[in-house]
């Protein structure tokens, strides 16, 4: 079962994920402010979206870290403004970004991004910058899957915390990439497969 | 005057509220889920930014509805399900066209029925122009500052994107569909930054 934190709107990520093929019965939505010690019992993965209250969750970062230590998977999107995940440092952005600054580069293969063309991440309807605009300072040893800008700075990365794994995307919700009519629409089903894999 | 802002705790609220550009514009920052009546005792203007959890705002509905009853100013920005917790506010959702500006020769539908309003000494009308997620039906007597005509596909009869209401309560309501805290705080749409550059100083003049 995948736990998706919700943010008070009826049509949130939890409802959208539960409608994905094969996912009925595998998604549990929980209002973010109800997140406590009992929330993660028996869960395989936790999804923290870009609209979540990080200030609140930072007060419960120990629960998230414990979940990771015991083998959980955490998928988080957005900019890491409060210390909710272990090991991630700050973020930065180009002040007046050019197209080169916003260009996304695939650095390694990974099942979540298999078949996804970097150009479909850089552009949406010809406009750059929706998928991600900033880069983060990941923990040592993180696998950086997608980089941004000429220096290919970390945009998407994956790292282990004891038996668990964090998949971090420093931009718009990864779970929103399920209906695009280009290759970026492969992300959501592949992300769900990745979370469900033991 | 004391201006307070609710903080939704997201990364974009953090950037807009705590970042260097606007940090000095707020006298008090209140984490939304922890709001208490005592926090507002000496507050004269309360800003409810865009995209605060509606669950939290509904929980505080008595406090929020009571605020402008005492002659104070309540500012509510967009995407908060405001119609579920603020009395007398009506809203019709409209599917969002994020891409209106890509069509050749596209002109935004926005209208400015009160160009002489004091707000427009602080911002240009164009600084209010970006996508919108629905329209508000302003109450009788309210001054509509930004509006759009009826939906071309017939889903609504048009309405306000920003209005000021000095008539239905002893205090002042400023209600908008606009969501600048999210987009400025995501470093994405420059119009939202220009909007806040003028809107926040204007609040200080009220």
């Amino acid at each position: 079962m995948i736990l998706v934190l919700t943010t008070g709107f009826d049509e949130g990520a939890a409802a959208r994920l539960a409608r994905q093929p094969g996912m009925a019965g595998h998604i549990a939505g929980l209002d973010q402010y109800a997140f406590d010690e009992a929330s993660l019992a028996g869960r395989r993965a936790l999804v923290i979206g870009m609209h979540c209250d990080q200030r609140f969750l930072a007060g419960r970062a120990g629960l998230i870290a414990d979940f990771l230590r015991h083998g959980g998977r955490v998928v988080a999107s957005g900019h890491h403004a409060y210390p909710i995940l272990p090991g991630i440092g700050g973020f930065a952005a180009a002040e007046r970004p050019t197209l080169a600054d916003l260009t996304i580069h695939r650095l390694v293969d990974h099942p979540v991004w298999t078949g996804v063309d970097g150009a479909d991440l850089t552009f949406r309807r010809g406009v750059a910058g929706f998928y991600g605009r900033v880069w983060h300072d990941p923990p040592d040893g993180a696998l950086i899957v997608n980089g941004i800008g000429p220096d290919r700075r970390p945009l998407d990365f994956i790292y282990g915390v004891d038996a668990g794994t964090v998949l971090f995307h420093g931009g718009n919700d990864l779970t929103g990439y399920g209906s695009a009519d280009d290759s970026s629409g492969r992300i959501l089903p592949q992300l769900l497969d990745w979370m469900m894999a033991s | 005057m004391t201006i307070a802002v609710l903080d939704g705790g997201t990364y974009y609220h953090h950037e807009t509220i705590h970042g260097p550009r606007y940090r000095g514009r707020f006298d008090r920052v209140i984490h939304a889920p922890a709001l208490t009546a005592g926090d507002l005792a000496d507050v004269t203007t309360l800003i409810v930014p865009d995209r605060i959890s509606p669950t939290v705002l509904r929980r505080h509905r008595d406090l929020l509805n009571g605020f402008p009853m005492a002659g104070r100013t309540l500012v509510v920005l967009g995407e908060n399900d405001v119609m579920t917790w603020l009395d007398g506010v009506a809203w019709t959702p409209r599917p969002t066209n994020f891409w209106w500006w890509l069509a050749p020769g596209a002109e935004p539908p926005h209208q400015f029925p009160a160009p002489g309003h004091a707000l427009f000494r602080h911002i240009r009308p164009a600084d209010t122009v970006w996508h919108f997620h629905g329209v508000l039906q302003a109450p009788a007597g309210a001054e509509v500052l930004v509006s759009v005509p009826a939906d071309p596909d017939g889903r609504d009869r048009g309405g306000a994107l920003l209005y000021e209401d000095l008539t239905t309560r002893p205090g002042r309501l400023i209600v908008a569909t606009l969501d600048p805290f999210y987009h400025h705080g995501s470093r994405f749409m420059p119009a939202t930054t220009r909007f806040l550059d003028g809107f926040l100083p204007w609040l200080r003049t009220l």
Side-chain angles (χ1 to χ4, degrees), chain B residues 21-162:
Chain B
R21 193 179 190 95
Y22 302 124
R23 188 180 293 149
R25 297 289 175 191
F26 311 110
D27 302 314
R28 184 169 304 154
V29 178
I30 304 164
H31 192 204
L35 173 67
T36 66
D39 294 329
L40 301 180
D42 60 343
V43 172
T44 49
T45 297
L46 175 63
I47 304 170
V48 179
D50 39 292
R51 295 175 190 265
I52 303 292
S53 167
T55 309
V56 166
L57 297 172
R58 283 191 287 271
R59 182 149 51 82
H60 295 310
R61 66 177 302 153
D62 290 346
L63 200 52
L64 295 168
N65 278 283
F67 188 81
M69 298 306 287
R72 303 183 287 185
T73 295
L74 179 65
V75 180
V76 183
L77 299 173
E79 291 295 279
N80 273 328
D81 284 355
V82 59
M83 62 289 182
T84 68
W85 53 267
L86 188 57
D87 297 340
V89 174
W91 149 275
T92 307
R94 190 190 288 192
T96 305
N97 177 10
F98 291 103
W99 308 101
W100 60 270
W101 49 284
L102 288 179
E107 290 290 335
H110 299 56
Q111 300 167 333
F112 307 97
H117 189 278
L119 173 61
F120 294 117
R121 293 202 288 272
H122 295 266
I123 62 171
R124 298 176 306 148
D127 299 337
T128 68
V129 175
W130 64 88
H131 65 263
F132 52 96
H133 303 275
V135 296
L136 297 157
Q137 285 78 55
E143 186 161 32
V144 175
L145 306 188
V146 185
S147 62
V148 291
D151 178 25
D153 296 324
R155 289 170 292 208
D156 63 65
R157 292 176 292 169
L161 303 189
L162 172 63

Side-chain angles (χ1 to χ4, degrees), chain A:
Chain A
M1 186 77 88
I2 296 170
L3 181 66
V4 180
L5 296 183
T6 61
T7 58
F9 293 91
D10 292 339
E11 180 52 40
R16 197 167 60 247
L17 298 195
R19 286 201 303 272
Q20 290 292 306
M23 292 311 295
H26 293 292
I27 302 293
L30 177 75
D31 188 275
Q32 59 186 346
Y33 296 120
F35 180 67
D36 63 15
E37 287 185 60
S39 306
L40 290 166
R43 307 302 189 195
R44 181 188 303 265
L46 169 67
V47 176
I48 302 171
M50 64 186 288
H51 297 296
C52 282
D53 183 340
Q54 295 185 17
R55 183 172 168 176
F56 176 85
L57 293 176
R60 286 140 187 85
L63 302 180
I64 298 170
D66 283 345
F67 177 64
L68 286 162
R69 278 188 211 105
H70 290 93
R73 291 187 164 188
V74 176
V75 172
S77 299
H79 306 170
H80 195 250
Y82 292 86
I84 59 173
L85 293 168
I88 300 183
F91 63 89
E95 272 307 313
R96 288 184 173 76
T98 64
L99 176 56
D101 292 323
L102 296 173
T103 297
I104 294 162
H105 305 272
R106 172 68 41 74
L107 305 180
V108 296
D109 289 330
H110 186 275
V112 172
W113 287 272
T114 295
V116 177
D117 187 332
D120 291 336
L121 299 181
T122 301
F123 297 105
R124 186 183 283 185
R125 300 200 190 191
V127 180
F130 282 86
Y131 184 76
R133 311 173 66 78
V134 309
W135 62 87
H136 283 76
D137 180 17
D140 289 343
L143 177 71
I144 300 166
V145 179
N146 291 304
I148 187 167
D151 297 327
R152 293 160 164 71
R153 288 164 155 153
L155 173 60
D156 293 293
F157 51 88
I158 297 164
Y159 62 98
V161 179
D162 296 325
T165 308
V166 173
L167 187 155
F168 186 81
H169 167 62
N172 273 327
D173 275 336
L174 268 190
T175 55
Y177 284 82
S179 57
D181 54 8
D182 59 36
S183 68
S184 68
R186 298 178 63 122
I187 290 176
L188 178 56
Q190 292 175 171
L191 178 66
L192 290 168
D193 287 347
W194 182 82
M195 282 191 280
M196 294 296 287
S198 56

Side-chain angles (χ1 to χ4, degrees), chain B residues 176-188:
Chain B
T177 67
L178 305 174
D179 51 358
F181 279 63
Y182 171 37
H183 292 293
H184 166 77
S186 298
R187 301 164 177 259
F188 200 61

